[in-house]
Amino acid sequence: MKDLILSEFLENYPEFSNAAAYPKSRIEHRLKMAVKFFADVPFYDEETKKHVQGLYVAHFVSVAGPLTPGASKMAGTVGLGLVSSKSVDGASIAYDNSIAQEEGAGFWNATAYGRELWQLMQLFGAGGYQV
């Protein structure tokens, strides 16, 4: 069974294709880790296995953020949920993220990629699966 490779990852997640912001070496490192962490069990078919590997990589690369100065973090890392407070002069805004959180997911709640990965691990019976 084949594992996810860099070109496939960048095709599926074009938001990480800016090599200055997201160096290929950083992505390749996480891809190697994903291959080790997501063995054939419990993700038996190639398509699902590649999908969870991609979510794993996207989550970690997104949490680390871009290297490019002034670049914004990936969509899904901040600004999720309903606006709970705002101010005009201070230009600040706060979100109630509880609506988009997966109970018990902890760190995986930090991005939309992590939340989907968490959900899939639960659906595939990998609830106790350590990543």
Side-chain angles (χ1 to χ4, degrees):
M1 198 178 298
K2 293 184 179 182
D3 293 301
L4 186 66
I5 59 172
L6 180 63
S7 60
E8 290 175 304
F9 175 80
L10 294 175
E11 183 178 323
N12 294 334
Y13 300 91
E15 60 269 34
F16 298 106
S17 61
N18 179 341
Y22 302 99
K24 289 181 181 178
S25 60
R26 180 193 278 186
I27 295 171
E28 286 175 333
H29 169 72
R30 281 294 167 189
L31 280 168
K32 288 177 186 175
M33 300 306 291
V35 167
K36 292 179 182 190
F37 290 142
F38 294 100
D40 294 340
V41 177
F43 307 104
Y44 297 101
D45 70 283
E46 188 172 319
E47 184 178 347
T48 304
K49 182 179 173 184
K50 285 183 177 186
H51 184 67
V52 296
Q53 288 173 343
L55 290 171
Y56 172 87
V57 173
H59 174 74
F60 274 96
V61 173
S62 184
V63 167
L67 294 182
T68 308
S72 63
K73 282 202 166 232
M74 299 307 309
T77 58
V78 294
L80 284 177
L82 303 172
V83 174
S84 62
S85 67
K86 60 184 177 178
S87 66
V88 177
D89 294 333
S92 64
I93 189 167
Y95 293 91
D96 176 5
N97 294 353
S98 63
I99 195 167
Q101 301 290 311
E102 290 292 323
E103 187 176 338
F107 169 69
W108 301 106
N109 277 319
T111 68
Y113 310 113
R115 285 188 299 279
E116 183 180 349
L117 178 59
W118 177 264
Q119 291 169 350
L120 289 173
M121 287 192 299
Q122 304 308 301
L123 288 171
F124 279 84
Y129 197 71
Q130 295 294 317
V131 179

